[in-house]
Short mmCIF file of all heavy atoms in Angstrom, two decimals:
data_model
loop_
_atom_site.label_atom_id
_atom_site.label_comp_id
_atom_site.label_asym_id
_atom_site.label_seq_id
_atom_site.Cartn_x
_atom_site.Cartn_y
_atom_site.Cartn_z
N GLY P 1221 25.84 -18.53 4.95
CA GLY P 1221 24.97 -18.77 6.10
C GLY P 1221 25.11 -17.79 7.23
O GLY P 1221 24.73 -18.10 8.37
N VAL P 1230 24.42 -13.67 13.10
CA VAL P 1230 23.77 -14.96 13.29
C VAL P 1230 24.33 -15.93 12.26
O VAL P 1230 24.24 -15.69 11.06
CB VAL P 1230 22.24 -14.85 13.13
CG1 VAL P 1230 21.61 -16.24 13.05
CG2 VAL P 1230 21.63 -14.05 14.27
N VAL P 1231 24.95 -17.00 12.73
CA VAL P 1231 25.46 -18.06 11.85
C VAL P 1231 24.39 -19.14 11.81
O VAL P 1231 24.25 -19.93 12.75
CB VAL P 1231 26.80 -18.62 12.35
CG1 VAL P 1231 27.32 -19.70 11.40
CG2 VAL P 1231 27.82 -17.49 12.49
N ILE P 1232 23.62 -19.16 10.75
CA ILE P 1232 22.36 -19.90 10.72
C ILE P 1232 22.54 -21.41 10.75
O ILE P 1232 21.62 -22.15 11.12
CB ILE P 1232 21.51 -19.47 9.49
CG1 ILE P 1232 20.03 -19.78 9.73
CG2 ILE P 1232 22.03 -20.14 8.21
CD1 ILE P 1232 19.41 -19.01 10.87
N ARG P 1233 23.72 -21.91 10.41
CA ARG P 1233 23.92 -23.36 10.44
C ARG P 1233 24.08 -23.92 11.85
O ARG P 1233 24.04 -25.13 12.06
CB ARG P 1233 25.15 -23.73 9.61
CG ARG P 1233 26.46 -23.22 10.16
CD ARG P 1233 27.65 -23.70 9.34
NE ARG P 1233 28.90 -23.11 9.81
CZ ARG P 1233 29.39 -21.96 9.39
NH1 ARG P 1233 28.71 -21.27 8.46
NH2 ARG P 1233 30.53 -21.49 9.85
N ASN P 1234 24.28 -23.03 12.83
CA ASN P 1234 24.52 -23.50 14.19
C ASN P 1234 23.33 -24.28 14.74
O ASN P 1234 22.16 -23.94 14.52
CB ASN P 1234 24.82 -22.32 15.11
CG ASN P 1234 26.19 -21.71 14.83
OD1 ASN P 1234 26.98 -22.25 14.05
ND2 ASN P 1234 26.48 -20.58 15.47
N ALA P 1235 23.63 -25.33 15.48
CA ALA P 1235 22.60 -26.24 15.97
C ALA P 1235 21.60 -25.55 16.89
O ALA P 1235 20.44 -25.98 16.99
CB ALA P 1235 23.26 -27.41 16.71
N GLY P 1236 22.01 -24.48 17.54
CA GLY P 1236 21.12 -23.79 18.47
C GLY P 1236 19.90 -23.19 17.81
O GLY P 1236 18.93 -22.84 18.51
N TYR P 1237 19.89 -23.07 16.48
CA TYR P 1237 18.75 -22.49 15.78
C TYR P 1237 17.78 -23.55 15.24
O TYR P 1237 16.79 -23.20 14.59
CB TYR P 1237 19.23 -21.60 14.63
CG TYR P 1237 20.12 -20.47 15.09
CD1 TYR P 1237 21.41 -20.33 14.60
CD2 TYR P 1237 19.67 -19.56 16.05
CE1 TYR P 1237 22.24 -19.30 15.04
CE2 TYR P 1237 20.49 -18.53 16.50
CZ TYR P 1237 21.77 -18.41 15.99
OH TYR P 1237 22.58 -17.39 16.43
N ALA P 1238 18.04 -24.81 15.50
CA ALA P 1238 17.23 -25.88 14.92
C ALA P 1238 15.75 -25.77 15.30
O ALA P 1238 14.87 -26.10 14.50
CB ALA P 1238 17.77 -27.24 15.35
N ARG P 1239 15.47 -25.30 16.51
CA ARG P 1239 14.08 -25.15 16.96
C ARG P 1239 13.79 -23.70 17.38
O ARG P 1239 12.95 -23.45 18.23
CB ARG P 1239 13.78 -26.11 18.12
CG ARG P 1239 13.64 -27.55 17.64
CD ARG P 1239 13.33 -28.51 18.79
NE ARG P 1239 12.90 -29.80 18.29
CZ ARG P 1239 13.71 -30.73 17.79
NH1 ARG P 1239 15.02 -30.51 17.74
NH2 ARG P 1239 13.22 -31.88 17.34
N ASP P 1240 14.48 -22.80 16.72
CA ASP P 1240 14.28 -21.38 17.00
C ASP P 1240 13.30 -20.83 15.95
O ASP P 1240 13.65 -20.63 14.80
CB ASP P 1240 15.61 -20.64 16.92
CG ASP P 1240 15.50 -19.18 17.34
OD1 ASP P 1240 14.38 -18.64 17.35
OD2 ASP P 1240 16.54 -18.56 17.63
N THR P 1242 11.81 -17.93 15.88
CA THR P 1242 11.77 -16.48 15.80
C THR P 1242 12.43 -16.02 14.50
O THR P 1242 13.19 -16.77 13.87
CB THR P 1242 12.51 -15.85 17.00
OG1 THR P 1242 13.90 -16.22 16.94
CG2 THR P 1242 11.91 -16.33 18.31
N LEU P 1244 15.05 -13.89 12.01
CA LEU P 1244 16.47 -13.59 12.12
C LEU P 1244 16.70 -12.41 13.04
O LEU P 1244 17.59 -12.42 13.89
CB LEU P 1244 17.05 -13.26 10.73
CG LEU P 1244 17.50 -14.40 9.85
CD1 LEU P 1244 17.90 -13.86 8.47
CD2 LEU P 1244 18.66 -15.16 10.48
N TYR P 1256 9.82 -15.83 7.65
CA TYR P 1256 10.53 -17.08 7.88
C TYR P 1256 11.27 -17.06 9.21
O TYR P 1256 11.74 -16.03 9.67
CB TYR P 1256 11.54 -17.34 6.74
CG TYR P 1256 10.87 -17.40 5.39
CD1 TYR P 1256 10.90 -16.31 4.54
CD2 TYR P 1256 10.20 -18.55 4.98
CE1 TYR P 1256 10.26 -16.35 3.31
CE2 TYR P 1256 9.56 -18.60 3.75
CZ TYR P 1256 9.59 -17.50 2.92
OH TYR P 1256 8.96 -17.54 1.71
N SER P 1257 11.38 -18.24 9.81
CA SER P 1257 12.04 -18.38 11.10
C SER P 1257 13.49 -18.82 10.91
O SER P 1257 13.89 -19.32 9.85
CB SER P 1257 11.31 -19.42 11.96
OG SER P 1257 11.48 -20.72 11.39
N ARG P 1258 14.24 -18.65 11.99
CA ARG P 1258 15.61 -19.15 11.97
C ARG P 1258 15.66 -20.66 11.76
O ARG P 1258 16.53 -21.17 11.07
CB ARG P 1258 16.30 -18.78 13.30
CG ARG P 1258 16.45 -17.28 13.53
CD ARG P 1258 17.10 -17.00 14.87
NE ARG P 1258 17.31 -15.56 15.06
CZ ARG P 1258 18.00 -15.04 16.06
NH1 ARG P 1258 18.53 -15.85 16.99
NH2 ARG P 1258 18.16 -13.73 16.16
N ALA P 1259 14.72 -21.36 12.36
CA ALA P 1259 14.68 -22.82 12.21
C ALA P 1259 14.50 -23.21 10.74
O ALA P 1259 15.16 -24.13 10.24
CB ALA P 1259 13.56 -23.41 13.06
N TYR P 1260 13.59 -22.52 10.05
CA TYR P 1260 13.37 -22.83 8.63
C TYR P 1260 14.60 -22.50 7.80
O TYR P 1260 15.01 -23.28 6.93
CB TYR P 1260 12.15 -22.07 8.12
CG TYR P 1260 11.83 -22.36 6.66
CD1 TYR P 1260 11.40 -23.63 6.27
CD2 TYR P 1260 11.97 -21.39 5.68
CE1 TYR P 1260 11.12 -23.90 4.94
CE2 TYR P 1260 11.69 -21.65 4.36
CZ TYR P 1260 11.26 -22.91 3.99
OH TYR P 1260 10.99 -23.19 2.68
N LEU P 1261 15.20 -21.35 8.07
CA LEU P 1261 16.39 -20.96 7.31
C LEU P 1261 17.53 -21.94 7.56
O LEU P 1261 18.27 -22.30 6.62
CB LEU P 1261 16.81 -19.55 7.70
CG LEU P 1261 15.83 -18.45 7.30
CD1 LEU P 1261 16.22 -17.13 7.96
CD2 LEU P 1261 15.78 -18.28 5.78
N ARG P 1262 17.66 -22.41 8.80
CA ARG P 1262 18.70 -23.41 9.08
C ARG P 1262 18.43 -24.70 8.33
O ARG P 1262 19.34 -25.32 7.76
CB ARG P 1262 18.78 -23.69 10.58
CG ARG P 1262 19.87 -24.71 10.92
CD ARG P 1262 19.96 -25.00 12.41
NE ARG P 1262 21.07 -25.89 12.69
CZ ARG P 1262 21.03 -27.22 12.63
NH1 ARG P 1262 19.88 -27.83 12.31
NH2 ARG P 1262 22.10 -27.95 12.89
N HIS P 1263 17.16 -25.12 8.31
CA HIS P 1263 16.79 -26.32 7.56
C HIS P 1263 17.17 -26.18 6.09
O HIS P 1263 17.78 -27.09 5.49
CB HIS P 1263 15.29 -26.57 7.68
CG HIS P 1263 14.72 -27.39 6.57
ND1 HIS P 1263 15.05 -28.72 6.37
CD2 HIS P 1263 13.87 -27.05 5.55
CE1 HIS P 1263 14.42 -29.16 5.29
NE2 HIS P 1263 13.70 -28.18 4.79
N LEU P 1264 16.84 -25.03 5.49
CA LEU P 1264 17.19 -24.83 4.08
C LEU P 1264 18.70 -24.86 3.87
O LEU P 1264 19.18 -25.44 2.89
CB LEU P 1264 16.64 -23.47 3.60
CG LEU P 1264 15.13 -23.30 3.51
CD1 LEU P 1264 14.80 -21.89 3.04
CD2 LEU P 1264 14.50 -24.33 2.59
N TYR P 1265 19.42 -24.25 4.79
CA TYR P 1265 20.88 -24.20 4.63
C TYR P 1265 21.49 -25.59 4.76
O TYR P 1265 22.35 -25.97 3.95
CB TYR P 1265 21.49 -23.27 5.68
CG TYR P 1265 22.94 -22.97 5.40
CD1 TYR P 1265 23.31 -21.99 4.48
CD2 TYR P 1265 23.95 -23.69 6.04
CE1 TYR P 1265 24.65 -21.73 4.20
CE2 TYR P 1265 25.29 -23.44 5.77
CZ TYR P 1265 25.62 -22.46 4.84
OH TYR P 1265 26.94 -22.21 4.57
N LYS P 1266 21.05 -26.35 5.73
CA LYS P 1266 21.59 -27.70 5.91
C LYS P 1266 21.22 -28.61 4.74
O LYS P 1266 21.97 -29.51 4.38
CB LYS P 1266 21.08 -28.31 7.23
CG LYS P 1266 21.50 -27.54 8.48
CD LYS P 1266 23.00 -27.56 8.69
CE LYS P 1266 23.47 -28.90 9.20
NZ LYS P 1266 24.92 -28.88 9.55
N ALA P 1267 20.04 -28.35 4.15
CA ALA P 1267 19.60 -29.15 2.99
C ALA P 1267 20.16 -28.63 1.67
O ALA P 1267 19.89 -29.20 0.62
CB ALA P 1267 18.07 -29.16 2.93
N GLU P 1268 20.93 -27.53 1.75
CA GLU P 1268 21.54 -26.91 0.57
C GLU P 1268 20.50 -26.50 -0.47
O GLU P 1268 20.70 -26.62 -1.67
CB GLU P 1268 22.60 -27.83 -0.06
CG GLU P 1268 23.74 -28.15 0.89
CD GLU P 1268 24.82 -29.00 0.24
OE1 GLU P 1268 24.67 -29.38 -0.94
OE2 GLU P 1268 25.82 -29.29 0.92
N GLU P 1269 19.38 -25.98 0.04
CA GLU P 1269 18.34 -25.48 -0.85
C GLU P 1269 18.67 -24.04 -1.27
O GLU P 1269 19.02 -23.20 -0.44
CB GLU P 1269 16.98 -25.51 -0.14
CG GLU P 1269 16.38 -26.89 -0.03
CD GLU P 1269 15.89 -27.43 -1.37
OE1 GLU P 1269 15.72 -26.63 -2.31
OE2 GLU P 1269 15.67 -28.66 -1.46
N VAL P 1272 17.54 -20.49 0.46
CA VAL P 1272 18.16 -19.87 1.62
C VAL P 1272 19.14 -18.77 1.21
O VAL P 1272 19.26 -17.74 1.90
CB VAL P 1272 18.86 -20.92 2.51
CG1 VAL P 1272 20.14 -21.45 1.87
CG2 VAL P 1272 19.15 -20.34 3.89
N LEU P 1275 17.05 -15.71 0.46
CA LEU P 1275 16.44 -15.12 1.64
C LEU P 1275 17.47 -14.42 2.52
O LEU P 1275 17.22 -13.33 3.05
CB LEU P 1275 15.70 -16.20 2.44
CG LEU P 1275 14.45 -16.80 1.76
CD1 LEU P 1275 13.87 -17.91 2.62
CD2 LEU P 1275 13.41 -15.72 1.49
N LEU P 1276 18.64 -15.02 2.68
CA LEU P 1276 19.68 -14.39 3.49
C LEU P 1276 20.26 -13.17 2.79
O LEU P 1276 20.59 -12.16 3.44
CB LEU P 1276 20.78 -15.39 3.83
CG LEU P 1276 20.39 -16.50 4.82
CD1 LEU P 1276 21.56 -17.45 5.04
CD2 LEU P 1276 19.91 -15.94 6.15
#
Side-chain angles (χ1 to χ4, degrees):
V1230 168
V1231 181
I1232 202 64
R1233 65 176 175 272
N1234 289 352
Y1237 301 122
R1239 286 180 167 78
D1240 186 341
T1242 63
L1244 275 174
Y1256 301 100
S1257 68
R1258 296 179 177 189
Y1260 181 67
L1261 294 169
R1262 181 180 185 274
H1263 157 66
L1264 293 179
Y1265 191 82
K1266 299 295 286 186
E1268 299 183 357
E1269 285 289 343
V1272 73
L1275 293 176
L1276 290 178

